[in-house]
Amino acid sequence: MGLLRIADAARLTGVSDDTVRRWVDSGTLTARKDESGRAAVDGAELAAHARAIAAAPSDPSGVGRSARNQFVGLVTAVTVDTVMAQVELQCGPHRVVSLMSSEAVRELGLEPGSVATAVVKATTVIVETPGGRAL
């Protein structure tokens, strides 16, 4: 993995530049110099740390499920017509949008301010990288 500048590491982990510098000062992350002489951290080391400190809210439903992609958040908007509805959740820094029946919205009691869990079971997940190589 390549090196990430302090500002990029902060942006990717959702913390301030100063927090990343504190991680370096405490020995949690190792600082190196990038090709331009700026302080940077190893991407793989940052990824391991990000995973270790990740603290998603627990799913309030208490339901066991096979889907591993679960996002607990707040309902921020509900648009309902006679048959279908669009429900938006803010799950940490991520906006998740779901289309469902209006009946389901009513049965679940979804309204802005409700706590809900978006569960994603996908057989196709597209992963992109900046400046990725074309095959």
Side-chain angles (χ1 to χ4, degrees), residues 4-21:
L4 296 167
R5 291 183 176 169
I6 298 294
D8 293 331
R11 181 178 52 81
L12 291 167
T13 54
V15 299
S16 69
D17 295 12
D18 288 337
T19 296
V20 175
R21 287 187 191 93

Side-chain angles (χ1 to χ4, degrees), residues 107-122:
E107 287 177 0
L108 294 171
L110 296 173
E111 59 185 24
S114 301
V115 175
T117 303
V119 180
V120 180
K121 181 75 172 182

Side-chain angles (χ1 to χ4, degrees), residues 32 74 89 98:
R32 297 175 175 83
L74 289 172
L89 290 91
S98 177

Side-chain angles (χ1 to χ4, degrees), residues 63-97:
V63 173
R65 62 178 61 95
S66 65
R68 296 295 174 240
N69 301 313
Q70 302 170 37
F71 305 95
V72 178
L74 289 172
V75 175
T76 57
V78 178
T79 306
V80 181
D81 68 18
T82 56
V83 177
M84 294 300 294
Q86 177 177 307
V87 178
E88 296 182 31
L89 290 91
Q90 193 66 42
C91 304
H94 306 287
R95 176 177 169 255
V96 179
V97 179

